Every structure is written in C-alpha cells, then in structure tokens.
Amino acid sequence: MNRFGTHQLSHSYFHVDAKADRCKQFMTITGSTFHPLLKQLVPLAIMECPSENKQFLSVFFSNLKEAIKEKFEDEEFDPTGIICDEASCNWQAMQEIFGRDLVERSKSCDFHYKQRINRTKGKITSGDDDKEIFKTWWNKRRAHWCYAFRPDHFAPGANLAEVTNARFFHRGSVNLSLIAAALDDVVDSLIFEKRYKKIGENIKVTGSGRTFFNIRETELKRISSPKSKTKYN
C-alpha cells in the first residue's frame, strides 16, 4: 500500500482496530483494507498481544512496515491514510513509526468521534480554561469529521476493521488458542490468494459487490448533499 504506487491498493485506506476475546487473554489487533478486485475487506496484518496500548501498536505498525519492505523489496508502507478509533495510543504509535505526515492524513471514524465528544463534554465546565482546552481538543480532530479539513474528501466515514472483527465472531472464532487463531489466519490467506489468482485467469469468484469506484461515487454524493453540508460544515 503506497499512495504513490500503481497497485490496486495504492488509493485504499488502512483500517485498524483491536478486538478482545478472539484468543484467550489476548487482544487481537487487525489491519484491513478494501480490495477492489476481491470486492471485500481483506486483513493485511493480524497480531495477538496482551493489551491494546502504544507499545504493542508500535510493534504492530513496525512489523507491518518491515514485512512489506521485505516482501516487496523497496516498496514502502505509505497508505493514503489510516482509519482507527479515538484511543490516543493509536495516534501515538502511528506518529512514532510513520511520522507526523501520515497522522495528518489519517482520521478516526465518525461514530467513535461522536462518542469521544460526549465523553469530553462531561469533563468541561463553564470556566474559560476548560473552554480553551475543548477548542484545542476540537482543533486537533477537525479533520476527523469536517470535510473542509479532510486531506482526502473520499476518506471513509467508518472504520471497516469492525467488519473483520465481526467475521471472527460470526464464524465462532472466540477464546481460541494462539495456534488455532494462526491456523484460521493462514487458511484465510490461502483462500484470498486462490481467489486473486482465479480473477487473473478471468474466472469469476466474487459476487456483484461494490467496486472501489462505486464506494467513491457514494462518498462524493454524500459530501455534495445539502444535508451533509449542513451537518458537517
């Protein structure tokens, strides 16, 4: 995933989230993206760790960065942006591994942003100091919800990593051992690889799901609608 490349994923966003209960006593960090040929969300990286914090997220991003460079030689992991929730550890780890530029191109999902607003409002009093704190808090996140400040107007409004998490649940991947989880991930990778090769052979392996361009067209309509302008701007 490199925004300057010519690969199918060069314009895709990378969706990151953590899920509890997939493995016993572990948190599962997933990084997924929508693949325009497979027409579905594809996990690119999955890591089991004791907890979701800056330390382990930094390891997750660092390992992903090194793995892509090793696999594709000089290819750098430099996506259009990353979508994650509002947890500060996500943004701290992102900046530590990738730098401020990628942080500025990334955003949280709209739902988690609204959740964070409600939590933050409860801590604000009528004092001038608290008002300034809230202004600073909002200013840092203006690109997370307002189209006028977004570096890419086609940035997704939702964190699609939730789809990957839901897939774990619906197929019964709960309280697995690490070995069983690794086996599931390998099987998924082989299935995705097989489907991708079949597409290259002009064999239909997917349904009539949405394409990358369909998604962008929908997002453009949402941005252009009067309701959207009133709500976000």
Side-chain angles (χ1 to χ4, degrees):
M1 293 183 71
N2 189 300
R3 60 196 174 111
F4 297 115
T6 57
H7 191 268
Q8 299 101 321
L9 302 181
S10 59
H11 299 295
S12 298
Y13 273 77
F14 189 62
H15 301 260
V16 176
D17 196 21
K19 175 176 173 51
D21 300 330
R22 186 203 182 203
C23 290
K24 296 178 182 178
Q25 301 179 341
F26 284 91
M27 292 289 290
T28 303
I29 301 176
T30 64
S32 309
T33 190
F34 179 82
H35 198 291
L37 292 182
L38 295 174
K39 297 181 181 179
Q40 67 181 109
L41 200 71
V42 176
L44 298 184
I46 299 176
M47 186 179 86
E48 309 295 340
C49 56
S51 62
E52 180 187 12
N53 57 32
K54 178 189 172 184
Q55 175 188 354
F56 292 115
L57 280 161
S58 294
V59 171
F60 175 78
F61 286 133
S62 179
N63 287 346
L64 172 64
K65 185 178 179 181
E66 291 177 10
I68 289 180
K69 192 168 185 178
E70 180 179 335
K71 174 66 176 179
F72 301 102
E73 297 181 354
D74 295 329
E75 185 77 13
E76 292 284 346
F77 180 76
D78 187 20
T80 300
I82 292 178
I83 307 295
C84 57
D85 60 33
E86 284 281 332
S88 59
C89 57
N90 288 315
W91 304 92
Q92 292 168 0
M94 203 187 306
Q95 178 158 326
E96 179 179 299
I97 303 302
F98 301 114
R100 188 66 193 173
D101 182 54
L102 181 55
V103 172
E104 294 292 341
R105 302 197 311 268
S106 302
K107 64 180 289 291
S108 65
C109 73
D110 296 351
F111 174 75
H112 286 100
Y113 173 77
K114 292 172 184 176
Q115 273 190 329
R116 194 59 179 262
I117 285 179
N118 291 331
R119 292 171 185 167
T120 304
K121 282 196 304 185
K123 302 176 184 178
I124 301 298
T125 65
S126 58
D128 291 338
D129 290 343
D130 278 354
K131 288 180 180 178
E132 288 301 318
I133 291 173
F134 185 74
K135 287 180 182 178
T136 301
W137 180 91
W138 178 89
N139 190 56
K140 288 180 178 179
R141 292 165 174 79
R142 63 189 184 278
H144 294 190
W145 67 277
C146 184
Y147 289 111
F149 292 108
R150 288 186 185 181
D152 181 357
H153 290 307
F154 295 104
N159 186 355
L160 298 182
E162 300 286 357
V163 176
T164 300
N165 294 342
R167 187 185 300 153
F168 292 148
F169 176 79
H170 287 300
R171 70 182 182 189
S173 298
V174 179
N175 290 328
L176 301 177
S177 66
L178 292 177
I179 294 296
L183 178 60
D184 274 0
D185 295 339
V186 170
V187 170
D188 278 347
S189 296
L190 292 173
I191 291 173
F192 286 132
E193 181 183 22
K194 192 73 172 179
R195 288 177 179 173
Y196 186 78
K197 288 181 178 179
K198 290 295 183 182
I199 291 174
E201 298 169 4
N202 203 27
I203 299 175
K204 186 176 177 62
V205 296
T206 61
S208 56
R210 302 176 73 195
T211 66
F212 181 76
F213 297 103
N214 293 149
I215 293 174
R216 288 218 158 190
E217 184 180 11
T218 301
E219 188 66 20
L220 183 60
K221 288 180 180 178
R222 188 161 73 95
I223 294 170
S224 304
S225 69
K227 182 179 179 181
S228 178
K229 291 179 181 178
T230 301
K231 182 177 180 181
Y232 292 102
N233 297 330

